[in-house]
Amino acid sequence: MNFTLKELFEDVPNEFANMEFPSHLATDSRDVTSGDAFIAIEGEKTDGHKYIPQAIENGAGLLIVRKGKAPEGISIPVIELDEPERDLALIASKKLHAHELSDIIAITGSVGKTTTRAALQLVLRDKFRVHAPERSLNTLIGCTATIMAMPKETEILILEFGANKPGEIKELSEYFPPTIAILTAIAPVHLEGFRSIEGVLEEKLEITRPSSIDKIIFNNDNEYLTESFKYTVKSMGVGESSDSDFVLSIDNSEYTLPALSFVLALRQTQEIARYTANIWGRHNAMPLALAAATAHELGISLQESSEALADFQALNGRGKVIIREDGKFIVDDSYNANPASMSASLETFAKIKSNGKIAVLGEMRELGENSAKYHSELKPLLDDIDHVILVGSIWHDALGDESGYTFASDWREALVLLRNIMSSSEWKGILVKGSNSIGLFNIIKELSCE
């Protein structure tokens, strides 16, 4: 059961007072389905109030708008707020304080947040009533939407905290203070906003500042996090180093599609379990291990989490392996890319001992003034790939025409080039990876229809 409108808002028309808040809150009218709530956000590029007719046409059951912008002549309830985004976040925060949750788990880091969240949700769901975002909703309004749709019976809430510029993690932590913080990794991501990797670290550590924090689970293989939590009593490190609280051992043999295999052991008690999951690459062992370690702190044994994660399926764009009927495979790693994740994905691709490997790699965006350098440093990892299509001007600036690679300006041109290669040569596997804004997910959609 969800909260009613009168339990959440001060001014609600009597005829709608006992209506339950919808189980889905959308900020994009295109995402609205029957009965959903739609919040009109005024952004830098557009005003969500313009799309209220589309939201209603798509079946919205509730509107949340700025005061004075409520549409006339409609039959669905409308909530008017002075500052819809901030006011709704404050209401969500009050809802959290009024709700007796066992734990609020917040996940941050440069990579792996969503995979960690999905894995943790899978492990916890048999023993707890868990609520989490349906997808990567890691902004203020995204976390707000998740909380507003949280059922009353929820015991554990899982949130993702993302940031593109300083101050965003602090704000999220103040509105929605976690009891458990998970830090996946610190890497050169969003450097246009943070200027340096030290800036990224400073921002991500804001998740550990609230007095509500009882436990910190972190990637002990990441040097920035290892140094940050070396002497922190509340922290538990997960990593391949022997001094980790949860010691991770990854199968380093040739990669066998589509399963990832690793062992996780609790150093203090020697409790141990082997994990296998249908996800691409050794770099995804850390998100799954972080999920298992967090679950262990909540009373779920490593063996129990191992059994739960055997059913884990990679999310679209995040290491999903598509096996075709002819035995050939396509790796959908198209959701995002930064130097750390790109290196890891390419290293996994290299471990597959087969001819006929094709990589379609979109440029890595928001890396700041050293962007070309980060791209050029990946060149050695391209040597064992039979065909490489590089999408975006940054790749061209970093490597140049004399590199021997094929360059494309956008995903459409890359798709044409890819199809030419597929039709003219024997191929075994295709890796598709790049920053989400390039749209390489469209290549996956096109190939899936063939």
Side-chain angles (χ1 to χ4, degrees), residues 65-109:
V65 304
R66 181 182 291 277
K67 280 187 177 179
K69 288 196 170 185
E72 296 181 358
I74 60 171
S75 59
I76 64 173
V78 180
I79 302 297
E80 296 186 72
L81 302 173
D82 291 324
E83 296 288 340
E85 184 173 1
R86 301 289 172 187
D87 290 350
L88 199 61
L90 184 59
I91 291 169
S93 180
K94 290 179 179 178
K95 179 179 177 179
L96 279 187
H97 287 296
H99 195 101
E100 294 184 2
L101 291 166
S102 300
D103 280 292
I104 301 172
I105 303 172
I107 306 167
T108 196

Side-chain angles (χ1 to χ4, degrees), residues 142-359:
C143 289
T144 297
T146 298
I147 294 166
M148 293 301 290
M150 181 179 69
K152 282 185 177 180
E153 63 271 17
T154 300
E155 295 174 307
I156 294 178
L157 172 67
I158 306 174
L159 298 172
E160 294 180 41
F161 284 5
N164 295 324
K165 59 182 184 295
E168 292 182 326
I169 299 293
K170 181 180 180 181
E171 181 180 49
L172 288 166
S173 299
E174 289 173 346
Y175 274 108
F176 318 123
T179 58
I180 298 175
I182 303 175
L183 291 98
T184 62
I186 302 299
V189 179
H190 301 307
L191 295 184
E192 290 180 352
F194 296 118
R195 313 303 301 174
S196 67
I197 195 165
E198 288 75 19
V200 176
L201 174 64
E202 182 179 353
E203 177 69 15
K204 299 301 184 182
L205 289 180
E206 289 292 340
I207 199 173
T208 68
R209 310 298 187 206
S211 59
S212 57
I213 289 289
D214 292 326
K215 186 70 67 176
I216 299 166
I217 313 294
F218 71 97
N219 177 349
N220 195 43
D221 290 338
N222 187 271
E223 59 179 323
Y224 298 98
L225 294 177
T226 301
E227 289 300 314
S228 299
F229 298 121
K230 186 178 293 184
Y231 305 109
T232 304
V233 176
K234 292 182 178 180
S235 66
M236 299 287 284
V238 180
E240 294 184 73
S241 55
S242 59
D243 65 344
S244 300
D245 297 287
F246 291 87
V247 181
L248 175 63
S249 302
I250 307 174
D251 185 355
N252 286 312
S253 62
E254 289 185 16
Y255 190 72
T256 303
L257 292 170
L260 166 69
S261 177
F262 64 91
V263 171
L264 192 63
L266 181 59
R267 178 167 55 88
Q268 188 174 15
T269 65
Q270 295 303 302
E271 180 184 354
I272 190 169
R274 172 170 287 280
Y275 295 75
T276 59
N278 295 323
I279 191 168
W280 169 257
R282 74 187 318 272
H283 54 291
N284 276 313
M286 179 57 70
L288 271 58
L290 288 168
T294 305
H296 191 276
E297 294 302 298
L298 294 172
I300 296 176
S301 71
L302 296 183
Q303 184 58 42
E304 287 174 315
S305 63
S306 168
E307 292 168 2
L309 288 172
D311 295 327
F312 185 81
Q313 297 292 326
L315 303 173
N316 290 337
R318 292 179 171 89
K320 184 174 184 177
V321 182
I322 303 165
I323 307 293
R324 294 172 24 134
E325 292 183 358
D326 59 6
K328 298 176 181 180
F329 66 90
I330 301 168
V331 179
D332 178 11
D333 211 9
S334 62
Y335 182 78
N336 218 334
N338 57 64
S341 66
M342 184 71 83
S343 295
S345 199
L346 288 170
E347 286 171 359
T348 297
F349 206 35
K351 282 184 176 293
I352 298 174
K353 303 302 180 183
S354 173
N355 294 325
K357 290 185 290 186
I358 309 169

